[in-house]
Amino acid sequence: MKTFRTDLHIHTLLSPCGDLEMSPANIVSLAGQRGLDIIGITDHNTTKQCELVWKLAQKTNLTVFSGCEMTSREEVHCLGLFEDFDALRVFQDYLNQHLTIIPHNAALFGYQVLIDEDENILEELENYLGASLDVSIEEIERKVHELSGIFIPAHIDRPRNSLFSQLGFFPPELKVDALQISKLAEEVTIREKYKISQDITIVKFSDTHFPSDLGKIYTNFEMESPIFSEIKMALAHENGRKVQVP
Ligand SMILES: [Zn+2]
Ligand SMILES: [Zn+2]
């Protein structure tokens, strides 16, 4: 078994709150320099910048998974990660159908730019990506799992946009692959505070929006190889695979 430093919650410049320096090329090069083995691209309510990050990483040792940080109707943030671009495209259609339409104000919320390999702007997204989807967290979870994806409620300990801040409890029907705690949180404290059973895996990712934060926070995945099925097994602590928050 090998250990892979993994951070599956990273924003690109396409997120309104993502720094313009978070270009796909910059993310790939910094992630490599700072010792990450696996990253996940999770912009707010869009997957459109994922493929370029993945493509640029093909010439490196870095593994990139594509995903999204969704905002549910209850304003809960949750991560979805997908194995391939077919699933990702279906999920992007789902996002297009369900994003609440609020015209984006770049001066107020920051740019939402989609760029190409030469860092030319392909598109400035017109609808505000920080708006919520018109579907519940349970509906989003079912959609992610229908596409064989990984579903992880984000930064569950935060006072805003988290499972506990928005719902006040953990919905018993919600099937999570793990829960992500925020960078300063301690796993033991969080388990105790929110009464999270040991059967539920806890991970820590960076939620990076700025180059300076990249690589600082990660979870170690102990598994055979950096592929999606191994990530799933590690999260489920199956067949000797496991995750460990350093
Ligand atoms: Zn978030
Ligand atoms: Zn985030």
Side-chain angles (χ1 to χ4, degrees):
M1 231 49 90
K2 301 178 195 114
T3 302
F4 296 89
R5 263 190 202 199
T6 303
D7 179 2
L8 298 177
H9 187 166
I10 294 175
H11 292 267
T12 76
L13 76 174
L14 182 53
S15 288
C17 41
D19 192 87
L20 285 175
E21 294 296 313
M22 291 297 276
S23 67
N26 219 5
I27 290 173
V28 169
S29 99
L30 288 173
Q33 281 168 35
R34 293 177 188 171
L36 291 173
D37 300 301
I38 302 172
I39 63 169
I41 299 301
T42 54
D43 282 312
H44 290 291
N45 296 318
T46 182
T47 67
K48 288 185 167 180
Q49 197 72 81
C50 294
E51 196 164 349
L52 179 56
V53 185
W54 173 85
K55 187 180 167 201
L56 295 174
Q58 294 310 296
K59 298 163 243 161
T60 74
N61 291 325
L62 183 71
T63 300
V64 176
F65 290 112
S66 297
C68 182
E69 180 174 23
M70 298 76 78
T71 307
S72 74
R73 186 165 61 206
E74 309 89 346
E75 307 253 337
V76 179
H77 287 186
C78 44
L79 306 175
L81 292 141
F82 301 93
E83 181 160 21
D84 54 47
F85 291 111
D86 288 338
L88 196 73
R89 274 185 278 274
V90 174
F91 195 71
Q92 180 61 50
D93 289 342
Y94 179 80
L95 295 170
N96 293 344
Q97 277 168 39
H98 293 290
L99 182 65
T100 306
I101 304 300
I102 299 176
H104 181 53
N105 180 339
L108 208 57
F109 296 115
Y111 293 101
Q112 300 184 153
V113 286
L114 181 67
I115 61 170
D116 68 9
E117 204 166 342
D118 303 314
E119 309 213 339
N120 297 312
I121 294 177
L122 292 173
E123 191 184 342
E124 285 197 53
L125 272 61
E126 285 176 4
N127 296 322
Y128 177 47
L129 295 171
S132 55
L133 304 173
D134 64 1
V135 277
S136 69
I137 185 160
E138 286 97 342
E139 288 171 286
I140 295 173
E141 178 258 301
R142 285 197 293 271
K143 187 68 190 177
V144 171
H145 283 142
E146 186 188 302
L147 294 167
S148 304
I150 290 170
F151 178 81
I152 303 178
H155 44 64
I156 57 157
D157 51 299
R158 276 204 353 205
R160 287 174 57 205
N161 298 123
S162 75
L163 197 60
F164 293 108
S165 74
Q166 303 310 111
L167 304 182
F169 67 103
F170 190 130
E173 331 74 61
L174 196 68
K175 294 189 182 70
V176 304
D177 295 291
L179 298 172
Q180 182 228 317
I181 57 174
S182 57
K183 53 186 169 188
L184 297 175
E186 291 290 340
E187 179 175 346
V188 181
T189 320
I190 297 294
R191 281 195 189 278
E192 222 172 69
K193 181 172 176 189
Y194 298 106
K195 303 192 171 45
I196 297 165
S197 96
Q198 291 294 333
D199 320 337
I200 296 175
T201 300
I202 283 187
V203 287
K204 198 184 253 198
F205 299 140
S206 70
D207 195 3
T208 294
H209 291 73
F210 298 91
S212 55
D213 293 339
L214 201 68
K216 285 189 183 159
I217 305 289
Y218 55 86
T219 291
N220 286 319
F221 279 59
E222 290 179 30
M223 53 193 192
E224 284 296 336
S225 60
I227 58 172
F228 200 76
S229 56
E230 289 277 331
I231 295 271
K232 277 188 170 177
M233 277 194 274
L235 289 172
H237 287 216
E238 280 169 6
N239 303 324
R241 278 74 168 166
K242 58 184 178 178
V243 301
Q244 203 233 335
V245 178

